[in-house]
Structure formats: structure tokens, C-alpha cells
Amino acid sequence: MAHIRTWYLKVLLCVGTFLLFILVWCHVTQLLGEPKGGLGLDLSPLFSGDLVQPSCPEGLVLLILVTSHPAHTEQRKIIRKTWGAQSEMAAYPWQAVFLIGRTLDLELDWHLHKEHVANSDLLMGNYLDTYRNLTLKVMHGLKWAVDRCHPRYILKTDDDCFVNTDRLPTFLARTNRIRQGLYVGSTFSREKRVVIRDPSSKWYVSKQNYDPDTYPPYASGIGYILSLDVAHTVLATAQTTPSIPMEDAYVGILADRAGVKLLSSTRFAKHNLKWSICNYRYLMVIHRVSPAEQELAQGNVQLANTDCTMNKEVKHW
Ligand SMILES: *[C@@H]1O[C@H](CO)[C@@H](O)[C@H](O)[C@H]1NC(C)=O
């Protein structure tokens, strides 16, 4: 009897040890596997019920996400009057929305709410509005666009840029042939894609956040266009990719990881040169446009429509 009992206990001990081993092993592999997913971006905290958001009609060809500082009231005002102004009868519907984070300035916050009541075009996210949080701002905007808005294309731009809304929606809907997998903008040479490791720089990125010494090709944050499927892919990839504060380079990293090809186009101008009137038939985004220059640029678009009809229409990106 005693003999059977010890035998029984031995088997039990063996099985127990084995099960314990399996348990520990599972736990360890789970822990090891975690950093990949755990360090990606969690977007859910960026949404909060108390923050305002615009409505978005179904069937938009283009949604324009404009990153804007809470205090840039003047920039937003002039954009609404110029390239942001909708004509009621637009054949290819589009909409511009300003991306704004939280401000600790209570008076400014009060003004922002008033501004939203008057224009209903502010999309506020639950993050502090700082330069180092720009990536959160853009990811929040993309997530909102993908979940609530479903436009065919998304243009991300800044409030110091001019957007040729007279041409872009029509170009996207009628001329552009890339309906899926579109990621297009103004690119950088390899030398300009070197990762900045100086901690005092505005663009500093640690090796921990991003190990390689150069970024993959990416489109400048002045303006890039993503088709809706690419926006989806970018957001999904962000969940497993540590974020860096450089919003445009981060989108490039995500696109690269997901196998989305970047298209380079000179229709996105990093500099506001003295463009001729007829250039306004070609350019889609121009950077470094002051509020006063926005009116000039919008006027040039109108002039180009009447003065440059002899110029051949450029059909490629
Ligand atoms: C970014 O926003 C979060 C959430 O509001 C805040 O806790 C954090 O301090 C901000 N980061 C920077 C670098 O400003």
C-alpha cells in the first residue's frame, strides 16, 4: 500500500513540475514578446467625450487635416476665407478640419470653443498641444478620419500652407489613377534623412525610439496624401511601432514597414517662391504662406483659371 502511495506521489510531482515548467515558459515568452506590441502607439487615450469634433458627411473625396496651434486663430480665420472656403455646389466634396490639442490656457480654451461653435471645424484631441506631441496630433486625426469620416483620400497639411482646393479634389477624383496604396508628397534626399541625436534639438530622436541612422524615404509634413486604405495600414502598423516626435518621418517608417511605396511629387512645394500665375494650375500645396499671402495665392488660382488656359494640363503627380 505504502509502495503504491509513494509511486503515486512521484507521478503527481512529475506532472506538477512539468505543468509548472510550461506555465513559467509561457509567461517568459509572453514577456519577451511584449515590447514589440507594448511600445507601439495606443490611440484610445487621445479620444475623450468632452472634446469637440466636427461632423463629417459621407462620400467625401478628400478630407484635409490641418495641424494648427491653439493660438493660431488668425491663420485659421484666413484659411476659412481663402482655400478652406467651400462652394456649395462642389462636384467632388471635400472638407478641411483643424487638429488641435489641449491647452492649459483657460481663456484660449474658451475662445476655441466659441470658434468651434461658429465654424464647427475643430477636431480636438486629448493630448497636450506641444511640438513634441505632433505625432499624437496627426495619428489622432487619421484615426478620426478612418473611424468616423471615411473619405477616399486624406491630405495632412499645416496652417502655414496653401492648398489648391480649386484643383486637388477634382484631380484626385478624375485624373489620379492610384485609388489604393497612394502615399504621395515632397520627399527628402538621403542626407536630409539622417536621424538627429542631439538631445537639445527640436527633432531629437533617441536610439531607443528609433535605432537606424537614417529614416526611410518619407513625405514632408507640409503636405502628403494618403488613400484611405493606406491610412488604415499606417494606423494598424503604429500599434506595434514605437513612435517618434517627427510626425512625417514616423508615417514614412510605418509605410515602409507595411510595404507601402512612397511617391515623390513636385506638386508639393516646400518653399513659397515667386511662383508664376500658371504654376497655380500645377501646384497642390505650398509651404510658408503667411496669412496675408493666403489671399494672394487664392487670387492667383482664380487668375490661373482664366489666364493659363493655353497651358497643357499636367496629368501625373
Ligand atoms: C503629450 O501629451 C500628453 C497627454 O496630454 C502629456 O501627458 C505629455 O506631457 C505631452 N508630451 C509632451 C512632450 O508635451
Side-chain angles (χ1 to χ4, degrees), residues 55-77:
S55 61
C56 180
E58 276 297 316
L60 285 189
V61 167
L62 174 66
L63 175 71
I64 307 177
L65 299 175
V66 189
T67 51
S68 186
H69 187 273
H72 285 185
T73 319
E74 196 54 37
Q75 281 88 331
R76 293 190 290 275
K77 201 163 140 190

Side-chain angles (χ1 to χ4, degrees), residues 46 102 126-133 136:
L46 302 183
R102 287 205 190 264
N126 192 24
Y127 54 85
L128 208 55
D129 200 304
T130 62
Y131 189 77
R132 300 285 291 178
N133 265 346
L136 294 184

